[in-house]
């Protein structure tokens, strides 16, 4: 398409009818005409006639560009044509024509007028020309061109300069049934679209974290488009020049944002993309290729794909060259065929002994390994440079450390069982020999009797012989050829004696183990004796792991299981321990040595089943969603019968979490694990489909979910492994052999073979794409659950309508995220933990609260609104950790909007006494009432009284550890009890308000009343109330101590306008905050109780009217939704 795209033309009118006679029409439809220049390509056309035509059309028709083919746009009943493309060959111009028919033709029917059609086509073609120009400069990194696009992006959307534009594309956005031609901008946090066409401006900004669905789709009008669903709204973008590239980038950015903002526990280990300001289009593409590469070849996640070479690999046992790609990373050379032979090879550089040029005529590269195997690649571009590079890499890796690594790696690559045991035993020569087991449990508890071979053992030996023949042909160890024959043998079941070795090989755990000699032993030493929530859960589950197996009825097996699980929890505290890990690890320990079992567990948890074993089991939920999607495609009659697809999710969760170990007899389950280590999650998905298809008829007759679960359970009980050499006492399915069952026996080998035959065409790439797509849906579903739970709790505390409360929650959560977009080390992001109770998952700091206060508070017009926001935040921040949750936020807003006169006054009163109140203005007199971000954070963390300190210390003592260690249920109950007591707070319990606090309280009232229709009346009311209160205080003072000389403070209230001046005078002579309580006693400062202020204000109808005046929060919410982003930018 790149070559064809270079010949789109800026639309120009073709007005001369004579010029049209110089062209021959080859194709046409209602809106476009494809023409060939007369004489071109015709027999004898190159003579005088052709020359004359060429000269005339160049003179008469400037748009032809002397190209022999062109495409014109026309509208019905119009004599005006517009040239839009030209080409030098029929193949090139046909590509243009096909693209127009495929992407544009069906769309034009939706327009009402020919003028609209022509305007749209012109805009589309101009966009394609600009898109092609942009594509070339992005690749060449032309900074000037990109700066132009960046300036348009900044001008159109007004986002902060820290918002990094990654790339942009020309496309059409569908507003209703009409497409709008414009530009789609992809930046680190937003998907943005801008169009100005036919006098109408369209501007769209969607943050990636709001997207719940992102998919390529097509329908009658939209042949191929990208569908984006955000907050329940559907958006469609179409007519991309390179839709696959665009979609991949959108998918990466959306998933990156979701991981960064929602899924902190897996993101924290991702150092590559932690800083959103470092994201680039090239970086994202490179990362996607590297992830696909390391996942496909089961390499450590740290490996990055450096080079890819198309070439041929000589396959000696088949005597032919297979075509494919050689992929090179820092430490590995890998090859995967692309001709359907399913041949792949992994060559660790630590195994390479030599790299040489071979067959220069065929551009050959020969790589020799320690296993005495030579791999010959041919038709390698720049093969001489590649040989030089690989030699340098191999020299760099032949360091002492890597020599040690190779010795450990030889444990799986060696043919000798003695060598196989040598590595771990050397590592365990210290006192650890008593703690780390060097034998697989199966060899201890089920030693094979070589002399007395029954039929099953003979079959087992025949299997071993088949593998040995394969090893001789295709190599033995990490660098063996993996082909269709390898998979066929895996499907039949790996022999017991080879199972641990081949699991290690196929999972890639052999590479981790080789790169980290002695790591497990050190980890065991460090982790044993530690006491955490994870270790408590491990101890609880130890004897629930394969309890019927003799290996786990003894201390040997239990101790090994404890060490592996505890070591892993110590290695990866983000995961720690999750139920199901014990079942999986116990099976691993049966067939692999203890250290190998540990590295197999690492491979499963961190690579093969990503995010399965965290607190929210997101990975398992994602794969269940993929499973549901595959059921819809392959078993539509089942989905038609099931009214609710969640049945499949609930019944299959254990299948995914335990790889069918928890539902199948152990002797059958290990065959499933064989396939899993070879084919990954694809094997589990295929088997799940085969199980459902096998039971299709019975499931279609089920009336409810319970009946369907019973059908599946009976089926799993009937699965056997007739070739299993395990003793009858160990086999879980053997107990059924003698009983009469209405369910026929199903052999696991037949079931797995059938799943491969029927569903083996499910491609690994398609599964990964579905995982990506469904991850957004799963996380947004979890977020919706969090929201529902929070709203259910908070709705009982406030009087807001459900819809208003939901809108407030979205604004609150949005403010949480806005602080994370452009701040790598955002404290709010660091505190976010999805494993916390629902209310504590999203919290905001004082700065974010101020923004929301300005947008939503009915008192936001107040001149000292920053101070009010600060004091309100301090009042709510009872834990003194600088963060508040949505319940606290909603309750204080509810008081402002829906509280009674007394409630609102009590809130204002509490804002002007400790712990909420603190002096603020004196630090920034030039700004008036405004506070800088730094000042706001400083004051929000200031401790003003011992009351606040005691609150903080109480919180620290009673608050459960959030996400770390053991959760203290008693502490939660105590907090809940304290909250109930607070509800019963009596106004008599409120502290008295002192002199300076009362002056600030009066000033706040003045600011609140400013601009009110009854402003003058309210000002006079303040004066009256203040005068009355001061007189009451003076009388009370004289009654208490008639001999004490007291300076009358009545003058303070005589003239309302003097209050600010009087306040300054009082403040200038104020004692420091720390000694305020002492000065109250020593200097006889006057103070007021809340009941006095309430009683006085109730006597003023203007006051009561002001505070009981209803405010509509809906207006504020709508305004806040439009201004929230701008408010954040201006901060």
């Amino acid at each position: 398409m790149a070559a064809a795209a270079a010949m789109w033309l800026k639309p120009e009118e073709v007005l001369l009818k004579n010029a049209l006679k110089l062209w021959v029409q080859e194709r046409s439809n209602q809106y476009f005409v494809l023409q060939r220049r007369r004489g071109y390509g015709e027999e004898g056309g190159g003579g005088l006639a052709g020359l004359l035509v060429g000269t005339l059309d160049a003179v008469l028709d400037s748009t032809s560009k002397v190209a022999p083919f062109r495409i014109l746009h026309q509208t019905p009943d119009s004599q005006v044509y517009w040239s839009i493309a030209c080409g030098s060959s029929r193949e090139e111009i046909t590509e243009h024509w096909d693209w127009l028919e495929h992407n544009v033709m069906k769309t034009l029917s939706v327009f009402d007028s020919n003028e609209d059609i022509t305007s749209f086509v012109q805009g589309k073609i101009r966009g394609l020309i600009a898109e092609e120009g942009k594509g070339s400069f992005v690749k060449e990194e032309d900074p000037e061109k990109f700066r132009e696009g960046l300036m348009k992006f900044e001008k159109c959307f007004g986002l902060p300069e820290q918002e990094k534009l990654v790339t942009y594309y020309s496309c059409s956005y569908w507003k209703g049934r009409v497409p709008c031609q414009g530009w789609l901008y992809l930046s680190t946090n937003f998907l943005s679209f801008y169009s100005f066409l036919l006098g109408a401006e369209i501007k769209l900004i969607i943050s990636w974290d709001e997207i719940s669905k992102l998919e390529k789709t097509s329908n009658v009008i939209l042949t191929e488009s990208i569908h984006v669903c955000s907050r329940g709204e559907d958006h469609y973008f179409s007519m991309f020049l390179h839709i696959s590239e665009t979609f991949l980038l959108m998918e990466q950015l959306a998933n990156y944002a979701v991981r960064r903002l929602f899924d902190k526990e897996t993101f924290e280990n991702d150092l590559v993309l932690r800083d959103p300001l470092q994201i680039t289009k090239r970086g994202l593409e490179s990362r996607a290729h590297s992830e696909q590469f390391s996942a496909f070849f089961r390499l450590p996640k740290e490996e990055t794909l450096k080079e890819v070479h198309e070439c041929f690999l000589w396959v000696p046992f088949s005597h032919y060259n297979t075509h494919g790609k050689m992929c090179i990373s820092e430490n590995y050379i890998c090859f995967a065929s692309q001709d359907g032979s399913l041949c792949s090879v992994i060559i660790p550089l630590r195994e390479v002994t030599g790299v040489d040029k071979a067959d220069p005529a065929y551009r050959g590269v020969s790589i020799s390994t320690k296993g005495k195997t030579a791999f010959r690649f041919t038709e390698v571009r720049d093969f001489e440079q590649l040989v030089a590079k690989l030699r340098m890499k191999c020299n760099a890796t032949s360091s002492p450390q890597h020599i040690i690594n190779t010795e450990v790696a030889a444990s799986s690559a060696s043919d000798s069982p003695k060598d196989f045991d040598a590595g771990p035993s050397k590592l365990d020569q210290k006192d650890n020999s008593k703690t780390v087991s060097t034998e697989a449990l199966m060899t201890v508890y089920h030693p094979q009797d070589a002399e007395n071979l029954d039929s099953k053992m003979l079959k087992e030996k025949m299997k071993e012989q088949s593998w040995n023949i394969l090893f001789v042909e295709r190599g033995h160890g990490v660098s063996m050829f993996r082909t269709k024959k390898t998979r066929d043998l895996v499907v039949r079941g790996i022999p017991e004696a080879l199972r641990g070795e081949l699991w290690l090989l196929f999972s890639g755990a052999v590479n981790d183990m080789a790169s980290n000699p002695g790591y497990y032993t050190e980890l065991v030493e460090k982790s044993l004796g530690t006491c955490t929530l994870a270790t408590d859960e491990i101890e609880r589950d130890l004897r629930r792991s394969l309890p019927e197996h003799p290996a786990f009825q003894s201390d040997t097996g239990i101790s090994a299981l404890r060490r592996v699980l505890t070591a892993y929890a110590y290695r990866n505290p983000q995961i720690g321990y999750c139920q199901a890990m014990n079942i999986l690890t116990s099976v691993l320990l049966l067939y692999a040595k203890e250290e190998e079992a540990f590295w197999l567990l690492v491979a499963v948890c961190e690579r093969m089943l990503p995010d399965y074993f965290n607190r929210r089991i997101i990975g398992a939920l994602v794969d269940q969603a993929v499973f549901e999607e595959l059921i819809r495609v392959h078993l539509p009659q089942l989905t038609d019968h099931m009214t609710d697809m969640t049945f499949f999710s609930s019944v299959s969760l254990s299948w995914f979490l335990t790889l069918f170990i928890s539902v199948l007899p152990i002797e059958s389950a290990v065959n499933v694990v064989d396939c899993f280590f070879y084919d990954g999650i694809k094997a589990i998905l295929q088997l799940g489909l085969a199980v459902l298809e096998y039971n299709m008829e019975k499931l279609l007759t089920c009336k409810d979910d319970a009946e369907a679960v019973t059908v599946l359970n009976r089926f799993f009980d009937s699965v056997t492994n007739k070739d299993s050499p395990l003793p009858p006492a160990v086999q879980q399915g053997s107990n059924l052999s003698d009983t009469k069952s209405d369910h026929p026996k199903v052999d696991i080998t037949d079931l797995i073979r059938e799943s491969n035959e029927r569903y083996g065409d499910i491609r690994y790439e398609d599964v990964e794409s579905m995982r990506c797509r469904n991850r957004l849906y799963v996380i947004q579903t979890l977020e919706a659950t969090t929201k529902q739970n929070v709203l259910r709790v908070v709705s009982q505390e406030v009087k807001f309508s459900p819809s208003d409360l939901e809108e407030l929650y979205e604004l609150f959560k949005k403010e949480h995220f806005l602080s994370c977009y452009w701040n790598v080390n955002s404290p709010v992001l660091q505190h976010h933990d999805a494993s916390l109770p629902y209310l504590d998952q999203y919290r905001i700091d004082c700065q974010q609260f101020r923004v929301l206060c300005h947008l939503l508070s009915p008192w936001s017009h107040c001149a000292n609104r920053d101070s009010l926001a600060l004091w309100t935040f301090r009042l709510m921040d009872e834990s003194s950790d600088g963060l508040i949750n949505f319940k606290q936020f909603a309750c204080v807003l509810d008081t402002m909007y829906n509280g009674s006169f007394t409630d609102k006054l009590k809130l204002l009163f509490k804002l002007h006494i400790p712990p909420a109140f603190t002096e603020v203005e004196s630090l920034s007199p030039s700004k008036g009432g405004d506070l800088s971000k730094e000042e706001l954070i400083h004051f929000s963390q200031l401790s003003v009284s011992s009351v606040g300190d005691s609150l903080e210390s109480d919180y620290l003592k009673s608050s459960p550890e959030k996400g770390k260690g053991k959760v203290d249920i008693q502490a939660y109950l105590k907090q809940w009890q304290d909250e109930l007591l607070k509800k019963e707070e009596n106004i008599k319990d409120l502290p008295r308000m002192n002199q300076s606090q009362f002056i600030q309280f009066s000033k706040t009232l003045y600011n609140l009343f400013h601009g009110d229709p009854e402003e003058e009346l309210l000002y006079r009311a303040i004066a009256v109330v203040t005068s009355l209160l001061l007189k009451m205080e003076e009388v009370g003072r004289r009654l208490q101590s008639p001999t004490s000389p007291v300076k009358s403070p009545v003058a303070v209230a005589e003239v309302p306008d003097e209050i600010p001046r009087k306040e300054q005078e009082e403040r200038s002579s104020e004692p420091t905050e720390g000694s305020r309580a002492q000065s109250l006693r020593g200097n006889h400062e006057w103070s007021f109780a809340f009941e006095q202020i309430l009683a006085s204000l109730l006597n003023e109808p203007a006051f009561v009217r002001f505070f009981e005046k209803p405010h509509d929060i809906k207006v504020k919410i709508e305004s806040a939704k439009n201004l929230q982003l701008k408010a954040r930018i201006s901060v």
Side-chain angles (χ1 to χ4, degrees), residues 345-378:
V345 170
I346 300 166
I347 310 170
L349 291 181
R350 65 176 183 267
E351 293 288 315
V352 175
T353 56
V355 180
D356 301 292
K357 286 183 277 188
D359 301 328
Y362 294 99
R363 294 179 293 178
V365 177
S366 176
I367 298 173
S368 306
T369 64
K370 292 175 183 174
K372 297 180 180 176
T373 307
F375 297 92
R376 194 178 73 194
F377 300 91
T378 53

Side-chain angles (χ1 to χ4, degrees), residues 815-873:
E815 194 59 38
H816 166 95
F817 283 149
L818 284 171
S819 73
C820 308
Y821 285 166
W822 307 291
N823 186 354
V824 182
N825 299 313
S826 164
V828 180
L829 188 59
Q830 290 168 2
H831 282 88
H832 173 54
D833 187 345
S835 65
L836 290 177
Y838 292 119
L839 272 173
D840 292 329
Q841 285 185 23
Y842 292 111
R843 299 190 292 164
I844 58 173
D845 61 21
C846 191
Q847 161 63 18
Q848 296 164 293
F849 176 72
R850 172 172 67 172
V851 173
L852 288 177
C853 241
H854 291 181
L855 291 171
L856 294 166
S857 170
W859 302 340
S860 58
H861 64 280
C862 190
N864 64 331
R865 61 182 189 167
D866 276 5
S867 303
L868 269 182
L870 168 66
W871 299 330
T872 308
F873 182 86

Side-chain angles (χ1 to χ4, degrees), residues 25 27-34 71-75 81-82 84 97 100-101 104-105 108 117 121 125:
Q25 182 171 304
R27 290 191 190 182
S28 68
N29 57 39
Q30 194 176 3
Y31 300 108
F32 299 103
V33 178
L34 190 158
I71 297 175
L72 305 179
H73 163 61
Q74 63 166 355
T75 52
Y81 290 77
W82 297 82
I84 58 173
W97 182 265
L100 288 168
E101 283 199 327
V104 180
M105 268 297 297
L108 299 181
I117 291 173
V121 170
I125 299 303

Side-chain angles (χ1 to χ4, degrees), residues 454-513:
D454 57 14
S455 60
K456 289 185 177 180
M457 283 308 301
L458 282 170
K459 281 187 179 180
E460 187 74 1
K461 289 298 177 185
M462 287 170 65
K463 276 188 190 178
E464 285 182 36
Q465 188 61 30
S466 299
W467 278 96
N468 287 329
I469 293 168
L470 187 84
F471 293 149
V472 171
E473 279 185 359
R474 291 158 169 76
H476 190 177
V478 70
S479 299
M480 69 185 290
F481 281 88
R482 304 170 197 214
T483 62
K484 186 175 183 300
K485 175 70 172 174
T486 318
R487 174 183 274 112
D488 291 342
L489 288 180
V490 170
V491 167
R492 285 172 53 191
I494 298 174
E496 303 270 305
L498 294 174
R499 195 162 259 145
E501 176 188 348
L502 293 177
W503 282 358
L504 207 67
L505 196 66
F506 296 144
S507 66
V510 63
N511 295 313
D512 295 318
M513 192 165 127

Side-chain angles (χ1 to χ4, degrees), residues 863-864 866-867 920-931 935 1003:
N864 64 331
D866 276 5
S867 303
V920 291
E921 284 94 344
S922 57
L923 283 183
S924 51
S926 60
K927 295 183 185 177
D930 294 341
L931 297 174
E935 287 171 348
K1003 183 179 178 183

Side-chain angles (χ1 to χ4, degrees), residues 327-582:
C327 305
I328 301 171
S329 66
E330 294 93 338
N331 299 299
Y332 297 88
I333 303 166
C334 303
F335 176 88
S337 65
Q338 293 184 299
D339 56 7
S341 63
L342 302 177
C343 176
S344 65
V345 170
I346 300 166
I347 310 170
L349 291 181
R350 65 176 183 267
E351 293 288 315
V352 175
T353 56
V355 180
D356 301 292
K357 286 183 277 188
D359 301 328
Y362 294 99
R363 294 179 293 178
V365 177
S366 176
I367 298 173
S368 306
T369 64
K370 292 175 183 174
K372 297 180 180 176
T373 307
F375 297 92
R376 194 178 73 194
F377 300 91
T378 53
E379 300 300 330
V380 183
R381 185 183 295 178
D382 302 326
F383 74 104
E384 291 178 337
Q385 291 179 20
L386 180 61
V387 167
K389 282 181 194 172
L390 291 177
R391 280 177 177 168
M392 285 179 63
K393 275 179 175 286
C394 291
N395 291 335
T397 56
S398 59
S399 62
Q401 181 186 353
H402 282 81
I403 291 167
I404 294 169
N405 292 352
T406 306
E407 289 177 9
V408 180
S411 65
S412 65
S414 169
D415 291 308
S416 167
K418 292 178 183 177
D419 291 346
F420 194 75
D421 292 340
S425 63
K426 286 179 185 176
L427 294 172
D428 302 332
Q429 279 176 356
K430 295 187 281 184
D431 297 335
N432 299 315
S433 57
K434 294 179 182 177
T435 57
V436 177
S437 171
T438 57
E439 292 293 335
L441 294 175
M442 194 62 76
T443 60
V444 177
Y445 287 90
H446 308 300
Q448 294 184 4
D449 187 352
E451 295 179 2
N452 303 314
L453 296 178
D454 57 14
S455 60
K456 289 185 177 180
M457 283 308 301
L458 282 170
K459 281 187 179 180
E460 187 74 1
K461 289 298 177 185
M462 287 170 65
K463 276 188 190 178
E464 285 182 36
Q465 188 61 30
S466 299
W467 278 96
N468 287 329
I469 293 168
L470 187 84
F471 293 149
V472 171
E473 279 185 359
R474 291 158 169 76
H476 190 177
V478 70
S479 299
M480 69 185 290
F481 281 88
R482 304 170 197 214
T483 62
K484 186 175 183 300
K485 175 70 172 174
T486 318
R487 174 183 274 112
D488 291 342
L489 288 180
V490 170
V491 167
R492 285 172 53 191
I494 298 174
E496 303 270 305
L498 294 174
R499 195 162 259 145
E501 176 188 348
L502 293 177
W503 282 358
L504 207 67
L505 196 66
F506 296 144
S507 66
V510 63
N511 295 313
D512 295 318
M513 192 165 127
S515 304
N516 298 278
Y519 175 83
Y520 175 68
T521 310
E522 289 176 22
L523 215 55
V524 168
E525 289 177 352
K526 290 177 183 175
S527 62
L528 279 181
T530 55
C531 186
T532 63
L533 177 63
T535 57
D536 289 350
E537 290 176 343
I538 289 168
E539 287 299 323
R540 187 188 63 211
D541 287 347
L542 282 176
R543 300 191 182 276
R544 302 177 187 173
S545 314
L546 298 187
E548 66 288 334
H549 198 287
F552 298 100
Q553 292 167 358
S554 70
D555 189 55
T556 306
I558 293 293
S559 297
L561 184 58
R562 178 188 292 112
R563 285 192 296 272
V564 172
L565 291 173
T566 306
Y568 186 78
Y570 188 87
R571 164 191 165 88
N572 191 343
Q574 270 79 28
I575 291 178
Y577 170 77
C578 175
Q579 278 190 333
M581 285 171 70
N582 60 318

